[in-house]
Amino acid sequence: MEVEKRIVVNGGMRLPIGYRFHPTEQELILHYLLPKAFASPLPSSIIPVFDLFYSHPLTFPGDQKEKQRYFFCKKKEVSSTEHRIKILSGDGYWKPIGKERPIIACGRTVGIRRTLAFYETNKSSSNCNKNRWCMTEYCLAGFASAKVFGEWAVYNVYERKGSKARKQRKSRDIGDEDLSCSINITVESDHETGPPPLSPPTSADE
């Protein structure tokens, strides 16, 4: 009897009934984004690669019923003049909202988090309207050679449901640093075959 059966659906991996991919921010950075950025093996192929800046969020692969979906995508820079990232299909743009936040593990900054909101093109005018689609972008920080393999980021795409949902996400984002420290030790002790060690902490991290 198979304990686990993986089925690829619409570019993503469907988990068995009752299972959910529910990583902490530290797990997402250290166990998925860090190996991806340095072309190392991943613990699972559950996060697909997809260009989120090409089309409307409704066209993103995976089960639309899932409250949160994760994707690997090359990071896009925000326009210095318009402060937004236009999507290639012309259906709208992503705009950063709020402040960037550091992701801390074992007393060091290992990643940066920022939130982007989607503004949809209004077909009847030249304006764009903000809708419920948002995504959280996670990037590496504190790794000396992170740019060698490209600016990979991992994105958590979701629809806003109101203040209750935001409180639940905030509660889930409280990091379990003890759990994340195990991967830090491995990274530092295996520089030849895996990602490089963390850079020395800066005054901002202390």
Side-chain angles (χ1 to χ4, degrees):
M1 178 179 178
E2 280 190 26
V3 177
E4 178 181 354
K5 184 177 181 181
R6 296 180 177 181
I7 305 175
V8 177
V9 178
N10 295 331
M13 189 179 75
R14 176 183 292 174
L15 294 173
I17 295 174
Y19 284 74
R20 294 293 183 272
F21 184 59
H22 199 65
T24 64
E25 293 185 325
Q26 286 78 10
E27 290 170 337
L28 201 59
I29 292 286
L30 297 176
H31 293 269
Y32 288 90
L33 181 56
L34 181 60
K36 179 66 176 178
F38 291 96
S40 298
L42 297 171
S44 170
S45 59
I46 193 169
I47 303 179
V49 174
F50 184 74
D51 187 355
L52 302 174
F53 301 102
Y54 180 80
S55 59
H56 193 285
L58 286 174
T59 67
F60 290 177
D63 189 350
Q64 294 285 344
K65 295 180 181 179
E66 287 291 334
K67 294 181 180 179
Q68 301 187 57
R69 288 174 289 162
Y70 294 86
F71 301 94
F72 286 123
C73 180
K74 291 294 183 72
K75 183 180 177 181
K76 302 289 186 181
E77 295 298 330
V78 176
S79 169
S80 59
T81 56
E82 298 180 331
H83 304 290
R84 63 188 65 175
I85 306 172
K86 293 182 180 180
I87 61 175
L88 297 180
S89 66
D91 293 324
Y93 59 85
W94 291 96
K95 183 177 181 179
I97 56 175
K99 297 181 179 180
E100 294 185 350
R101 304 288 184 182
I103 307 299
I104 308 296
C106 302
R108 294 174 178 267
T109 298
V110 296
I112 300 294
R113 178 189 71 194
R114 70 172 177 175
T115 301
L116 299 98
F118 186 70
Y119 288 74
E120 188 175 30
T121 301
N122 188 333
K123 303 299 182 181
S124 60
S125 69
S126 59
N127 298 323
C128 286
N129 300 322
K130 185 177 180 180
N131 61 21
R132 289 183 175 271
W133 286 104
C134 287
M135 62 183 181
T136 305
E137 176 189 81
Y138 296 94
C139 301
L140 292 176
F143 296 92
S145 305
K147 294 184 178 181
V148 173
F149 292 94
E151 285 285 350
W152 281 106
V154 62
Y155 293 84
N156 175 13
V157 180
Y158 57 92
E159 286 188 85
R160 293 180 300 161
K161 300 298 182 182
S163 59
K164 182 179 179 180
R166 286 195 293 272
K167 289 179 180 179
Q168 289 175 344
R169 286 198 298 275
K170 184 176 181 180
S171 175
R172 181 179 65 82
D173 288 342
I174 297 175
D176 184 356
E177 294 189 5
D178 292 337
L179 184 63
S180 301
C181 288
S182 60
I183 187 68
N184 252 352
I185 294 172
T186 303
V187 167
E188 293 188 41
S189 63
D190 192 15
H191 189 186
E192 296 300 323
T193 58
L198 288 167
S199 303
T202 63
S203 58
D205 297 332
E206 296 177 349

